[in-house]
């Protein structure tokens, strides 16, 4: 992921991607965006059983630690046809 900060250290925008692998080796890909307008996530398909996966939603910060680690709540849904 990439995070762009303002001169005062506040977040301007962030965007990143994640690959998630299940026990069978199938992969689903997702992206996330943090902006002043909304914090969102979406699926980007994958392999095997996740090949046609679709979905998305929003994220909300629950805990933000001084070292930059965070705990997020992910709301939304996905479908695997």
């Amino acid at each position: 992921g990439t995070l762009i900060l303002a001169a005062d250290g506040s977040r301007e925008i962030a965007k990143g991607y994640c690959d998630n692998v299940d026990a069978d080796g199938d992969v689903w890909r997702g992206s996330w965006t943090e902006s002043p307008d909304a914090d969102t996530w979406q699926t980007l398909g994958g392999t095997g059983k996740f090949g046609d996966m679709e979905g998305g939603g929003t994220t909300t910060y629950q805990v933000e630690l001084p070292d930059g680690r965070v705990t997020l709540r992910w709301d939304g849904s996905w479908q695997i046809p």
Side-chain angles (χ1 to χ4, degrees):
T2 300
L3 171 65
I4 299 172
L5 299 175
D8 66 1
S10 64
R11 288 187 184 90
E12 288 292 316
I13 191 167
K15 186 160 181 74
Y17 300 90
C18 298
D19 294 327
N20 306 278
V21 183
D22 75 359
D24 298 325
D26 291 331
V27 177
W28 72 270
R29 294 175 186 88
S31 70
W32 53 270
T33 301
E34 178 184 325
S35 73
D37 298 326
D39 298 338
T40 61
W41 64 273
Q42 70 178 45
T43 63
L44 302 172
T47 65
K49 68 179 84 65
F50 303 119
D52 294 322
M53 185 176 184
E54 296 178 350
T58 59
T59 60
T60 306
Y61 277 82
Q62 292 186 314
V63 176
E64 187 170 1
L65 300 173
D67 65 2
R69 293 180 295 157
V70 298
T71 301
L72 296 174
R73 177 184 169 121
W74 295 64
D75 292 303
S77 65
W78 61 80
Q79 301 81 38
I80 303 170

